[in-house]
Amino acid sequence: MLKEVQRNELFCAYYAKWIQVYKKGAIREVTMDKYRMAHQWLEKIAPTLKIYELSRITYQQILNDYALSHERQTTMDFHHQLKGAILDAVDEGLIDRDPTRKAIIKGKVPAAKKIKYINQYELHTLLNSLKLASTVSWDWLLLLIAKTGARFSEALAVTPQDFDFTRQTLSISKTWDYKGNGGFMPTKNKSSVRKVQLDWQTVIQFSSLIRGLPKSQPIFVEPGQKVYNSTVNDILERHCKHAHIPVISIHGLRHTHASLLLFAGVSIASVARRLGHASMTTTQKTYLHIIQELENKDIDLVMRSLASLS
């Protein structure tokens, strides 16, 4: 009798409970938000669908409806977010067969891919266009990210005491909750806690900038201030257009930093540590195109070296 009642429960209601029971507290809040968003779409697409009505056809229709307004990769993510709950419902005997089996993932035509990074000359041009006054501004944040490869949330959380000018390092050990109510938060993972070496010019610039600022307060965020990623991206876009270089995002500055290091011959292991990646695999996947270019150059170098032996 109880199982029959459960089988007649709305799938979107079951999914909401499943998120709370299995995901809340087990995943990062950012990831939790993605599951909540999936639930909102489920309520919109299939508000009256009951658990026992889930079949390959009804599930495929959910994916098809979602795919009308989302790209294929986003639809794939949505599919994986729903699938865990559905497989648990199958295990509990609420659904006879797995309706996600052989699901077809569709999606609208992807938008034109934005440029992820700029070259050394373009970065040099961009940095020259920054207005680095004697007081803190968003232009200083752009400089810090370009020179350290820090994530946006990591750069926002930087305080004066994080700098060690004697050793020319910046300690990254926290992030700023700019998507929520503000305040310090842990880094993305344990590997993200790191010390980033600074060049002497950056040391001189920031030692002057932060003189007299509260040691434990964020440099770029005032008390009670709400920070939006879009605001800083708009400032960066204006700089790019003024400098007549390709427009990139704040995260594109991080990609640019890593790309220039790789092209300069810095090892993947060193770049991974500097970026705070959990493993070199992440770095290799993210910058595969650059690594392949470097391998092609290495092949040319090997061939020239061997040819010179004859």
Side-chain angles (χ1 to χ4, degrees):
M1 183 66 181
L2 176 60
K3 186 166 288 187
E4 193 59 34
V5 172
Q6 291 175 317
R7 282 169 57 85
N8 279 276
E9 185 178 12
L10 292 176
F11 175 50
C12 55
Y14 173 85
Y15 185 65
K17 287 193 294 187
W18 182 84
I19 293 173
Q20 287 297 113
V21 172
Y22 290 99
K23 295 299 176 182
K24 188 175 177 62
I27 56 178
R28 295 177 71 242
E29 194 60 28
V30 174
T31 309
M32 187 69 179
D33 286 340
K34 294 178 181 178
Y35 278 91
R36 292 190 185 110
M37 185 64 70
H39 174 249
Q40 290 175 13
W41 272 101
L42 194 58
E43 286 185 314
K44 182 179 179 180
I45 295 170
T48 61
L49 183 70
K50 296 180 178 178
I51 293 179
Y52 80 88
E53 294 175 323
L54 269 170
S55 63
R56 284 189 63 199
I57 290 178
T58 56
Y59 181 69
Q60 185 65 56
Q61 190 58 56
I62 289 173
L63 293 183
N64 290 351
D65 291 344
Y66 184 84
L68 291 174
S69 55
H70 296 84
E71 294 182 12
R72 188 177 182 278
Q73 183 56 55
T74 311
T75 305
M76 177 69 80
D77 294 339
F78 179 66
H79 163 61
H80 286 304
Q81 286 154 4
L82 297 184
K83 187 174 180 178
I86 293 173
L87 292 180
D88 278 350
V90 173
D91 288 344
E92 293 170 25
L94 305 181
I95 306 173
D96 296 330
R97 294 183 179 86
D98 175 14
T100 68
R101 190 174 66 87
K102 294 184 179 180
I104 306 299
I105 308 300
K106 305 174 186 178
K108 66 177 186 178
V109 177
K113 296 298 181 184
K114 292 184 179 179
I115 294 174
K116 288 188 176 182
Y117 66 94
I118 53 180
N119 62 37
Q120 187 168 356
Y121 170 77
E122 291 164 340
L123 179 61
H124 181 71
T125 305
L126 172 64
L127 296 184
N128 281 341
S129 74
L130 298 180
K131 295 177 174 59
L132 302 174
S134 57
T135 54
V136 175
S137 67
W138 291 126
D139 281 19
W140 281 103
L141 180 81
L142 298 180
L143 176 67
L144 186 67
I145 294 175
K147 288 296 190 82
T148 64
R151 299 177 178 93
F152 180 62
S153 59
E154 293 172 341
L156 287 178
V158 169
T159 65
Q161 66 187 10
D162 291 327
F163 286 96
D164 184 339
F165 295 123
T166 304
R167 293 182 173 84
Q168 292 188 213
T169 61
L170 172 65
S171 176
I172 295 178
S173 59
K174 55 197 177 302
T175 62
W176 187 258
D177 182 23
Y178 70 93
K179 292 182 179 178
N181 298 318
F184 293 120
M185 291 181 65
T187 54
K188 187 174 182 179
N189 50 56
K190 288 182 179 179
S191 301
S192 294
V193 177
R194 62 201 188 276
K195 290 187 185 296
V196 178
Q197 203 72 30
L198 303 173
D199 64 275
W200 65 267
Q201 188 177 22
T202 303
V203 166
I204 293 172
Q205 289 174 305
F206 275 89
S207 61
S208 175
L209 176 71
I210 68 174
R211 191 175 295 124
L213 295 181
K215 296 292 184 183
S216 60
Q217 294 299 312
I219 296 170
F220 300 104
V221 185
E222 296 178 4
Q225 179 186 8
K226 181 67 177 175
V227 179
Y228 296 96
N229 182 279
S230 58
T231 302
V232 187
N233 271 323
D234 287 344
I235 293 171
L236 176 55
E237 181 178 346
R238 288 199 295 272
H239 277 301
C240 289
K241 288 179 177 178
H242 183 262
H244 304 293
I245 63 173
V247 174
I248 58 171
S249 65
I250 291 291
H251 203 67
L253 277 180
R254 175 172 160 87
H255 283 313
T256 298
H257 180 84
S259 301
L260 294 182
L261 293 181
L262 289 170
F263 276 124
V266 178
S267 71
I268 296 174
S270 295
V271 173
R273 283 194 297 272
R274 191 170 175 88
L275 295 181
H277 282 166
S279 71
M280 282 193 291
T281 304
T282 304
T283 315
Q284 288 170 322
K285 286 181 179 178
T286 307
Y287 302 103
L288 180 62
H289 59 295
I290 296 173
I291 293 168
Q292 288 174 338
E293 283 185 55
L294 293 172
E295 285 178 347
N296 290 336
K297 289 183 180 179
D298 285 345
I299 291 172
D300 291 339
L301 182 59
V302 169
M303 292 301 101
R304 286 200 301 271
S305 299
L306 292 177
S308 67
L309 297 176
S310 57

